[in-house]
Amino acid sequence: MKPRDLFDMILLAALWGGSFLFMRYDAPAFGAVPLIWLRMAIAAACLMPLLLWRGHGKVLREHAGMITLLGVSSTALPYVLIAWAMLSITSGLASILNAATPIFTAIVAAVWLRDKLSYSQILGLVIGFGGVSLLAADKADFKPGGSGWAIIAMLLAALLYGFSTNLTKRYLGKVPPLVNAAGASLTSAVLLTPLAWWYWPAKMPGLTAWLAVIGLGAGSTALALLLFFRLIANIGAARAITVTFLIPLFGILWGYLFLHETLNAGMLLGGGVVIVGTALATGVLRLPGMAGRTAA
């Protein structure tokens, strides 16, 4: 990995780790759908002028159908699920659950793209889901007001990320990163407009909440999507998605510094198991004698 790609990955992890902070703060003020509509509208407002200035409008039109699907699966649906989950769980726990994304990416690649999994990767999938189970066992509560459904929402978002990453790899790998980022943002903003209007909060949020939305839309979305799709183009989807290893570090750090969230031993243990399993599932960590052997 080139130094520039490594810098992009660290910056992306910091930005996406910050998104959990922003959503944890803003979701109660705006509601899940209006918050994500604002997030994507701001991102589209930042990215679309740049796309048109670079003359990529024709490319966007040529791939409009697939980019629309990308927008639904990579931003609109998972972002709403995460924002809704943030009403019940901390930003630190959400960022740890998000680290399961590469596990779902590997599963989708195996099922859809017929990528063969080594025995080491299969072991990683089992370990990773074991870590998620540890986290869920400690936190899951399906009673009214509990966090059980929020955890399921986070895992569904991770599954959608896994699908959209492979979608990009399969159909949009040669499309400029700016086109994917701008197109996904615009699609999400347009599709969420009627729902955002319907669920718009009765009481207007304060200035701090609006500043957080701007940070979420411009930094943790517009800039972050540009970095992510550029990483996919430069180092490949499988390696780019490993950015989720770093996101919990920043998610926990920002939550501790700005929201005074605490981190218990169960979260540390479960998070560590998820990260080890994910490292095996993506091939970042290889077990001697198992890495090259694939399952039939």
Side-chain angles (χ1 to χ4, degrees):
M1 188 180 298
K2 296 179 181 178
R4 176 181 173 178
D5 296 327
L6 180 60
F7 174 80
D8 284 353
M9 182 168 284
I10 294 173
L11 178 58
L12 176 59
L15 290 169
W16 270 347
S19 72
F20 293 99
L21 166 69
F22 290 133
M23 285 191 286
R24 178 62 175 162
Y25 183 82
D26 270 344
F30 287 97
V33 177
L35 172 61
I36 300 308
W37 175 78
L38 286 167
R39 176 180 186 177
M40 303 319 300
I42 292 171
C46 293
L47 295 173
M48 284 303 297
L50 182 58
L51 178 142
L52 296 174
W53 177 66
R54 291 192 175 180
H56 290 324
K58 182 180 179 181
V59 181
L60 179 61
R61 290 191 298 271
E62 289 174 348
H63 298 275
M66 201 57 63
I67 288 177
T68 297
L69 180 57
L70 179 67
V72 172
S73 63
S74 69
T75 51
L77 281 180
Y79 284 1
V80 168
L81 286 169
I82 292 172
W84 180 81
M86 299 298 289
L87 294 170
S88 305
I89 61 177
T90 65
S91 60
L93 177 58
S95 63
I96 291 173
L97 290 169
N98 186 71
T101 296
I103 296 176
F104 288 105
T105 302
I107 292 174
V108 173
V111 174
W112 179 23
L113 303 183
R114 304 299 182 185
D115 288 357
K116 293 184 177 181
L117 296 175
S118 69
Y119 288 112
S120 179
Q121 290 176 298
I122 293 173
L123 177 62
L125 296 178
V126 174
I127 292 174
F129 278 113
V132 172
S133 299
L134 283 174
L135 290 169
D138 183 47
K139 297 291 183 181
D141 179 5
F142 291 93
K143 295 179 182 179
S147 61
W149 291 112
I151 291 174
I152 290 178
M154 286 298 308
L155 295 177
L156 285 174
L159 174 60
L160 286 166
Y161 284 150
F163 170 79
S164 60
T165 301
N166 283 286
L167 177 74
T168 303
K169 174 184 176 181
R170 177 68 176 83
Y171 295 106
L172 299 169
K174 296 183 179 180
V175 175
L178 176 59
V179 176
N180 287 331
S185 299
L186 180 63
T187 296
S188 297
V190 171
L191 292 177
L192 291 174
T193 296
L195 287 174
W197 177 82
W198 183 261
Y199 288 106
W200 194 258
K203 181 181 179 181
M204 187 62 65
L207 177 61
T208 304
W210 281 100
L211 291 175
V213 167
I214 294 172
L216 178 65
S220 294
T221 309
L223 179 56
L225 287 175
L226 271 178
L227 292 171
F228 180 59
F229 288 117
R230 186 164 75 183
L231 281 169
I232 291 178
N234 290 345
I235 65 175
R239 296 181 71 187
I241 203 65
T242 57
V243 68
T244 51
F245 293 158
L246 301 175
I247 291 174
L249 302 178
F250 288 99
I252 292 169
L253 176 62
W254 302 148
Y256 173 78
L257 290 177
F258 298 105
L259 298 178
H260 308 294
E261 294 179 351
T262 58
L263 183 66
N264 59 40
M267 287 176 62
L268 282 174
L269 177 60
V273 173
V274 169
I275 290 174
V276 170
T278 303
L280 286 168
T282 56
V284 173
L285 179 63
R286 299 173 184 271
L287 295 180
M290 296 182 65
R293 298 172 58 191
T294 59

